[in-house]
Amino acid sequence: MMNFNYHNPTHIVFGKDRLHELNQLVPESAKVLVLYGGGSVRRNGTLEKVLTGLGNRKVVEFDGIEPNPQFNTLMKAVEIVRSENIDFLLAVGGGSVMDGTKFIAAAAPYQGNATDLLKHGFEWLPIDSAVPLATVATLPATGSEMNMGAVISHESGKLPVMSPLLYPQFSILDPTLTFSLPSVQVANGVIDAFVHVLEQYVTYPVDAQVQDRMAEGILKTLIEVGPVTLAEPENYDARANLMWSATSALNGYIGVGVPHDWSTHMIGHELTDLFGMDHAQSLAIIQPSLWKIRKAKKQEKLLQYAERVWNISEGTEDERVDQAIDMTRAFFESLGVKTRLSQYGIEPGEVDRVIHALQEHGMTALSETGDMDLTISRQILVDAYA
Amino acid sequence: MMNFNYHNPTHIVFGKDRLHELNQLVPESAKVLVLYGGGSVRRNGTLEKVLTGLGNRKVVEFDGIEPNPQFNTLMKAVEIVRSENIDFLLAVGGGSVMDGTKFIAAAAPYQGNATDLLKHGFEWLPIDSAVPLATVATLPATGSEMNMGAVISHESGKLPVMSPLLYPQFSILDPTLTFSLPSVQVANGVIDAFVHVLEQYVTYPVDAQVQDRMAEGILKTLIEVGPVTLAEPENYDARANLMWSATSALNGYIGVGVPHDWSTHMIGHELTDLFGMDHAQSLAIIQPSLWKIRKAKKQEKLLQYAERVWNISEGTEDERVDQAIDMTRAFFESLGVKTRLSQYGIEPGEVDRVIHALQEHGMTALSETGDMDLTISRQILVDAYA
């Protein structure tokens, strides 16, 4: 096991009918900016309950944070925070709204040019304050409700933003608020959470048994509850397990003391940026092909994954690995998500554009050991096309 | 899944050679009381490294916190905190030192009679401040390094103390500091952590799949690394996995959204109090017999435990449950810990004294549903005797 630090101060408020607790959770004197995306939280009544929960506090609303939240949109909210003396941000929505709110929290008090904040990658931002933020999470997927990271879209690409000042103070996770999600978003969320686990688990072995067993536990839960959630949208326990799986997949706990990969995410970000596909769609395309190309490097953990997650115990090592990859792909497809680039109407020659974008963004030494160059990324993309 | 809140602010600093980081972790102006037990931390060099790590800070030492820390001992430390204007407590040791330090942290600023603080059971203490505390954990067992609870021994019994003000600010967990532990303490630690998981897992099912899978993951890890640690005291990865298992067993994460039992602990506390046996020894005696007597009530989770933790899939339901109980008992005994009251030279008639003590302490409605009266506790103790 590798040395690690773990410190996650977010207070999780999980379960049915918790929105009225906003009245205790948000400071009484706060002037609150409530941020959300399209109109769904308005239509399904969540926004109204949030506003009721905030009681007599001064509230300003900011809507229109789009999927893959755009820098320019977020800077409009930064202006409001500054001009209205907002001192608490409440994100109501999924990963994009939560991520966007984190960026606003960092940018509002920042004295320099806000684009500076997009240049630090996985390093912590050089900031010493942020506006306190919290979330009402309505989409189990990204884990943003209990971590310190965000991904922001800018003309220069999809860029990570990290700071321990950006942990939500609290997050309310009410599974009933997810009952009305479109099934495509549910499927995307299952895949997003699943690949979050894989990027921290299918790396090289460091004998971190607790983390491995917990990672496998989340994967098995997602395999069980994903299809149930799609078939029975109002099955509370399935929704609750999906929601807590997604949070647990990326709140840092399973990722302590182990190497992380994230190359599926990095290539996936380029697909979203270039072709507009959903984040989870991009992951479903890249992950199986990345394993096909990298199976020698990842063999030991792929065999463990095959045995413990998919109960594959017969055949040669190579056959077992192939079977695990095929079952992963089949799982994604069973949720209604395509796993081939060609299925999105993309021309074979477009692979060059992805490689060019990776190069532009400095993504030339990916993976848990930094050995994944553009030649390997091209092999993965070619495999992912067919 | 039941509704839950989760908020654990302790910063974990895990791994080899971390003690020098005390210099960054403890406030620079702090006047620190370093608390420990017997002389082992002095003999094995840990204390010296801690004092070096504290640099130029003003430091006072308090030694002699005994196993099952005594109220009267702890009150002597409280006097020192007050008279020396101590503003930071650093526990260096195992569960008893950490638990004792938590009580001192609560009692020092408390205006009333400190015995009041022993009267709240599992309810949070009615305090609004505590001295900041941190730990250097040297014994993987209780999980006290990452939770808000303590158990204090007083003439009136072993009593729980809880408050969110008692989370350690940080805990340094260096597996190498555990290399020199006597094997009896290692075995006790494995069993303590194992039963912590069981008390939160073998209850009634609420379809909390993430929590169940994580609980099973810790149990399987303990089954694997317990014997390895005893056989190879300087096996770093075994030590690291044992240490992180013990912390993960009782930092709240696997216990969210599920019912808790704790009746094995409550009966066990009386055995320690009356007969002086180690905490883990008492658990190893009670847990298998509690299941024998209560197997109808706990059948569903016992069958899940049998299948997923011990791979028991053959036989009738009753046979599988019995086999799981037998394997649990055999696991404890394989670590060198006895599982029968009679093996401790206790007379059969002493069961009456245990029942009397349970009655005195109000332990007449134990278990996750409160249905366990003294008649049932007696059946368990009689079964545990033979």
Side-chain angles (χ1 to χ4, degrees), chain B residues 275-289:
Chain B
F275 310 120
M277 63 182 65
D278 296 345
H279 175 55
Q281 292 171 334
S282 76
L283 304 177
I285 291 168
I286 298 301
Q287 183 70 83
S289 293

Side-chain angles (χ1 to χ4, degrees), chain A residues 16-206:
Chain A
K16 285 177 200 170
D17 303 326
R18 308 294 300 264
L19 287 179
H20 64 278
E21 295 180 39
L22 283 167
N23 211 9
Q24 285 77 53
L25 291 162
V26 176
E28 206 167 332
S29 62
K31 185 164 183 187
V32 184
L33 184 64
V34 175
L35 304 105
Y36 50 99
S40 65
V41 295
R42 190 186 294 282
R43 284 192 302 277
N44 63 25
T46 299
L47 182 65
E48 193 183 334
K49 285 183 206 156
V50 166
L51 297 175
T52 303
L54 289 171
N56 296 323
R57 292 168 185 79
K58 287 176 196 156
V59 171
V60 180
E61 292 178 39
F62 184 83
D63 67 355
I65 298 185
E66 59 276 89
N68 307 305
Q70 297 292 322
F71 175 81
N72 290 336
T73 303
L74 303 175
M75 289 309 293
K76 290 180 197 158
V78 167
E79 285 311 309
I80 293 171
V81 172
R82 290 172 176 164
S83 63
E84 300 277 347
N85 295 312
I86 297 292
D87 54 17
F88 199 92
L89 305 180
L90 183 63
V92 182
S96 296
V97 175
M98 295 188 277
D99 280 13
T101 299
K102 288 178 180 174
F103 182 77
I104 295 161
Y110 186 69
Q111 300 291 319
N113 189 323
T115 54
D116 296 349
L117 300 175
L118 298 173
K119 296 173 181 165
H120 297 276
F122 290 115
E123 301 292 316
W124 291 359
L125 294 179
I127 56 175
D128 50 22
S129 72
V131 183
L133 70 104
T135 86
V136 174
T138 61
L139 173 58
T142 71
S144 189
E145 62 276 9
M146 199 181 177
N147 66 39
M148 60 164 158
V151 178
I152 304 304
S153 291
H154 181 257
E155 58 195 30
S156 56
K158 286 189 74 173
L159 303 164
V161 171
M162 316 271 284
S163 167
L165 294 169
L166 300 180
Y167 278 106
Q169 298 215 336
F170 65 83
S171 284
I172 298 182
L173 282 70
D174 179 343
T176 66
L177 302 182
T178 71
F179 282 176
S180 59
L181 283 171
S183 57
V184 61
Q185 290 195 33
V186 175
N188 280 346
V190 173
I191 290 171
D192 196 16
F194 201 85
V195 178
H196 285 160
V197 178
L198 296 176
E199 297 260 39
Q200 302 166 86
Y201 166 66
V202 183
T203 52
Y204 57 85
V206 294

Side-chain angles (χ1 to χ4, degrees), chain A residues 1-18 21 146 169 206-211 213-218 220-221 224-225 235-238 240-242 244-245 247-249 251 253-254 256 308, chain B residues 1-18 21 146 169 206-211 213-218 220-221 224-225 235-238 240-242 244-245 247-249 251 253-254 256 308:
Chain A
M1 197 185 301
M2 295 154 65
N3 283 7
F4 67 82
N5 283 33
Y6 182 75
H7 182 210
N8 189 323
T10 299
H11 174 188
I12 295 294
V13 179
F14 190 103
K16 285 177 200 170
D17 303 326
R18 308 294 300 264
E21 295 180 39
M146 199 181 177
Q169 298 215 336
V206 294
D207 200 11
Q209 300 186 39
V210 184
Q211 294 88 323
R213 295 278 187 194
M214 288 187 170
E216 292 152 5
I218 297 172
K220 286 196 265 200
T221 303
E224 282 174 33
V225 303
N235 180 322
Y236 180 82
D237 279 328
N241 279 300
L242 173 54
W244 192 230
S245 290
T247 303
S248 297
N251 64 7
Y253 205 76
I254 64 163
V256 296
R308 295 191 186 171
Chain B
M1 197 183 302
M2 295 155 64
N3 282 8
F4 67 83
N5 282 34
Y6 182 75
H7 183 209
N8 188 323
T10 299
H11 173 188
I12 294 294
V13 179
F14 191 102
K16 285 176 199 170
D17 303 327
R18 309 294 300 264
E21 295 180 39
M146 199 181 177
Q169 298 213 336
V206 295
D207 199 11
Q209 299 187 39
V210 184
Q211 295 90 321
R213 295 279 186 193
M214 288 187 170
E216 292 152 5
I218 297 171
K220 286 196 266 198
T221 302
E224 282 174 32
V225 302
N235 181 322
Y236 180 82
D237 279 329
N241 279 301
L242 173 53
W244 192 231
S245 290
T247 303
S248 298
N251 65 7
Y253 205 76
I254 65 164
V256 296
R308 294 191 187 172

